[in-house]
Amino acid sequence: MGTEIKLKGDKVIEQIPSIKDKALRINLNENIYGTFAEIGAGQETVRHFFRSGGSSGTIAKAMSAYDKDFSDAVYGVESDGRYVTEERLKKMLTLEGQIIEERLSREKHPTKLFFSYANTVATIDFAKQFKGHGWVGIRYQIEPDEAYNEIILHIRFKETDARLQQETLGILGVNLIYGAFYKYNDPKRLLRYLYDHLDKDQLEIDTINFSGPRFADVDNRLMSLQLVKNGMTDAVMFNPEGKNILPAAILYKKNLLALRGSFRPVTKVNMDMYEKSLKMFLEENKVEKDNTLVVFEITLSNLRSDGEIDERDFMDRAELLCSLGQTVMISNFQEYYKVVEYFANYTKARMGLAMGVNNLVDIFDEKYYRHLSGGILEAFGKLFYRDMKVFLYPMLDENGVLMDSNNLKVHPRMKELYKFFKFNGKVVDIADYDPHNLEVFSREVLKMINQGKPGWEPMLPSGIAEIIKEHHLFGYHPETELEQNNL
């Protein structure tokens, strides 16, 4: 696994050091010194440091607490009895770091940069039903007298061979340690370097969090966005507090109701759709409130501006939704059926989609499914499998006519297909909607904010207009508003 050369046309833009060279550079740095604790997939990371040479000045200790009882004796017992968890990883990193500090005198080693690297991983099972996943992290110093930094990530294996997964984990570990010490000043690039000598079909990184003095200015939500943008994962999620959350943990065995939109900005229509569809969803058979999660989803295609992702714009939308107490998902799924497929990886419970009439009409457009061998029928088989329902919010057409599931217009070729799903109760109307909201369109609200026109505030949920004004979101400028008011 030698040096990689990245090209742009015929021009060399970057040379990627080999895994051996990365490990050797760490080993030859006389100040970097720490421990490796690896559970579940062999001592694959530390192996590279042993083999590259000069490791005696780097490796304080390498251990694998494979036996559960022994692992519990070292790191304590988890309340949920699980071992492949973020909490377990944090305990490993903290304890190993404390041991170094306790056993090595700072007076004797004034220039040492201590670190603890750890992973807790489950590789593929014998039946090959579960491909495996794990938590990987490093806790380390950049200056001897400085507080510790942490980089913690969750991975999912895509390979179907345990030995290959072990090798992949080892390469990732070296990339992480090397990036932590030599690329910490550019976290976005550090993230991309985690895939040096790896392919996206080997490994998925679906959560990452940076903390510590060197990452004080890093917004972990934006780093999550990079995961989706770079194709490292299909979706990332944030809780109402605006923190990164592991999708598998929050979606597991839940009844799920999803609302897709641009939410630019979130309006009273969105919240009315949410409240009324949730009420209907909770009345469905086998849907219990305590086991139900509502997800506001923004697809990456709605974050693009001239082919690039407008990160500030993304932050504004996500923060407003979180301020309303909502869980937000950012995905790269253009089609609705892919959202349902993604959810199905984590739950077999009930699912619902809340959407407007125009979105449903769009779903029945064949052009979105030409890449599928089974075309629109294959997509709809995936979309409406099991008991999935669409809760439909009405709209007024250009003539002021109310459009709902009974009179919406799909392409003539799709009429019978639509009738099938409508007749079988897969599409149901939201009946008790607020008619005042039918005049509210987020595009118009956005235009009014940009142009400083008055009267947009009542179209938004309580408190949202104040946040937009306070932080000057979506192109809001008080001066423009003042000018408009004086006209």
Side-chain angles (χ1 to χ4, degrees), residues 90-105:
K90 286 183 174 180
K91 281 184 181 178
M92 295 167 70
L93 292 172
T94 302
L95 179 65
E96 297 300 339
Q98 287 173 349
I99 290 173
I100 296 178
E101 291 279 6
E102 290 168 3
R103 296 182 182 176
L104 291 185
S105 164

Side-chain angles (χ1 to χ4, degrees), residues 326-339:
Q326 301 304 326
T327 300
V328 180
M329 181 169 96
I330 310 296
S331 80
N332 62 10
F333 306 126
Q334 187 170 3
E335 301 89 357
Y336 273 99
Y337 79 86
K338 289 185 177 178
V339 178

Side-chain angles (χ1 to χ4, degrees), residues 254-368:
K254 289 284 199 307
N255 300 301
L256 297 172
L257 177 65
L259 292 84
R260 164 176 283 191
S262 62
F263 307 114
R264 194 170 185 257
V266 57
T267 66
K268 283 186 174 177
V269 175
N270 303 131
M271 298 314 292
D272 193 40
M273 187 187 300
Y274 150 68
E275 289 165 6
K276 304 301 166 53
S277 62
L278 177 59
K279 182 181 175 184
M280 294 173 70
F281 187 55
L282 292 174
E283 291 170 356
E284 292 283 311
N285 186 32
K286 297 180 181 177
V287 176
E288 297 174 1
K289 186 176 182 180
D290 292 342
N291 194 43
T292 296
L293 177 70
V294 179
V295 178
F296 280 69
E297 186 238 358
I298 307 173
T299 181
L300 204 63
S301 58
N302 284 340
L303 294 174
R304 297 190 183 282
S305 173
D306 300 324
E308 287 298 316
I309 292 173
D310 185 340
E311 295 179 351
R312 185 64 254 166
D313 185 54
F314 149 75
M315 286 301 303
D316 296 346
R317 292 189 252 174
E319 284 178 12
L320 290 181
L321 287 167
C322 289
S323 75
L324 292 169
Q326 301 304 326
T327 300
V328 180
M329 181 169 96
I330 310 296
S331 80
N332 62 10
F333 306 126
Q334 187 170 3
E335 301 89 357
Y336 273 99
Y337 79 86
K338 289 185 177 178
V339 178
V340 173
E341 271 192 315
Y342 179 80
F343 288 153
N345 291 326
Y346 304 108
T347 183
K348 291 182 170 60
R350 300 294 297 272
M351 288 188 217
L353 293 174
M355 66 181 73
V357 168
N358 54 344
N359 293 109
L360 185 61
V361 171
D362 226 22
I363 285 177
F364 280 84
D365 192 330
E366 289 180 284
K367 71 182 181 185
Y368 295 114

Side-chain angles (χ1 to χ4, degrees), residues 333-487:
F333 306 126
Q334 187 170 3
E335 301 89 357
Y336 273 99
Y337 79 86
K338 289 185 177 178
V339 178
V340 173
E341 271 192 315
Y342 179 80
F343 288 153
N345 291 326
Y346 304 108
T347 183
K348 291 182 170 60
R350 300 294 297 272
M351 288 188 217
L353 293 174
M355 66 181 73
V357 168
N358 54 344
N359 293 109
L360 185 61
V361 171
D362 226 22
I363 285 177
F364 280 84
D365 192 330
E366 289 180 284
K367 71 182 181 185
Y368 295 114
Y369 314 110
R370 288 173 185 150
H371 62 288
L372 296 174
S373 57
I376 194 169
L377 291 179
E378 180 181 339
F380 275 49
K382 294 174 177 178
L383 179 62
F384 286 105
Y385 90 123
R386 294 205 199 101
D387 297 321
M388 217 288 297
K389 274 190 180 179
V390 168
F391 299 95
L392 194 65
Y393 200 86
M395 67 173 283
L396 294 175
D397 70 6
E398 61 272 14
N399 300 314
V401 177
L402 186 73
M403 304 292 290
D404 60 17
S405 71
N406 298 304
N407 63 345
L408 61 79
K409 293 177 175 61
V410 297
H411 192 281
R413 284 202 304 270
M414 296 294 110
K415 268 187 179 179
E416 296 307 315
L417 183 62
Y418 171 70
K419 283 182 184 177
F420 171 80
F421 290 112
K422 165 72 175 161
F423 179 78
N424 284 284
K426 299 292 189 182
V427 179
V428 292
D429 287 305
I430 296 173
D432 59 341
Y433 61 90
D434 184 344
H436 296 100
N437 290 329
L438 299 180
E439 302 288 347
V440 176
F441 299 96
S442 59
R443 282 192 298 274
E444 291 302 314
V445 173
L446 185 64
K447 192 182 295 183
M448 292 172 75
I449 294 172
N450 279 321
Q451 296 175 359
K453 291 183 178 178
W456 53 270
E457 294 92 340
M459 301 180 191
L460 308 185
S462 176
I464 295 300
E466 288 76 10
I467 297 174
I468 289 174
K469 289 181 176 182
E470 182 183 349
H471 298 287
H472 296 185
L473 309 184
F474 305 115
Y476 172 79
H477 293 291
E479 304 82 10
T480 310
E481 186 176 54
L482 194 62
E483 289 172 11
Q484 285 288 332
N485 290 336
N486 291 333
L487 288 178

Side-chain angles (χ1 to χ4, degrees), residues 151-263:
I151 307 173
I152 291 177
L153 52 126
H154 182 264
I155 62 171
R156 292 191 172 278
F157 293 112
K158 294 186 176 182
E159 295 163 310
T160 55
D161 179 88
R163 182 182 58 81
L164 294 177
Q165 291 182 354
Q166 290 173 335
E167 291 176 0
T168 294
L169 179 64
I171 294 169
L172 174 73
V174 176
N175 287 337
L176 174 61
I177 297 169
Y178 183 84
F181 281 106
Y182 295 117
K183 306 294 179 183
Y184 62 86
N185 57 347
D186 191 348
K188 285 184 183 178
R189 292 181 72 185
L190 189 158
L191 202 61
R192 291 198 303 272
Y193 292 147
L194 293 176
Y195 276 88
D196 286 356
H197 310 288
L198 292 172
D199 292 319
K200 306 271 172 44
D201 57 2
Q202 292 175 274
L203 185 75
E204 174 186 353
I205 300 174
D206 57 6
T207 300
I208 191 162
N209 281 299
F210 295 79
S211 60
R214 297 289 169 159
F215 303 121
D217 297 328
V218 172
D219 189 317
N220 282 311
R221 291 169 297 180
L222 279 177
M223 297 309 297
S224 285
L225 178 61
Q226 299 302 313
L227 294 177
V228 182
K229 179 183 175 182
N230 296 340
M232 297 174 180
T233 191
D234 289 325
V236 293
M237 296 183 73
F238 314 116
N239 64 14
E241 290 73 45
K243 304 294 184 184
N244 285 343
I245 47 175
L246 182 65
I250 196 76
L251 299 173
Y252 186 63
K253 292 188 176 181
K254 289 284 199 307
N255 300 301
L256 297 172
L257 177 65
L259 292 84
R260 164 176 283 191
S262 62
F263 307 114

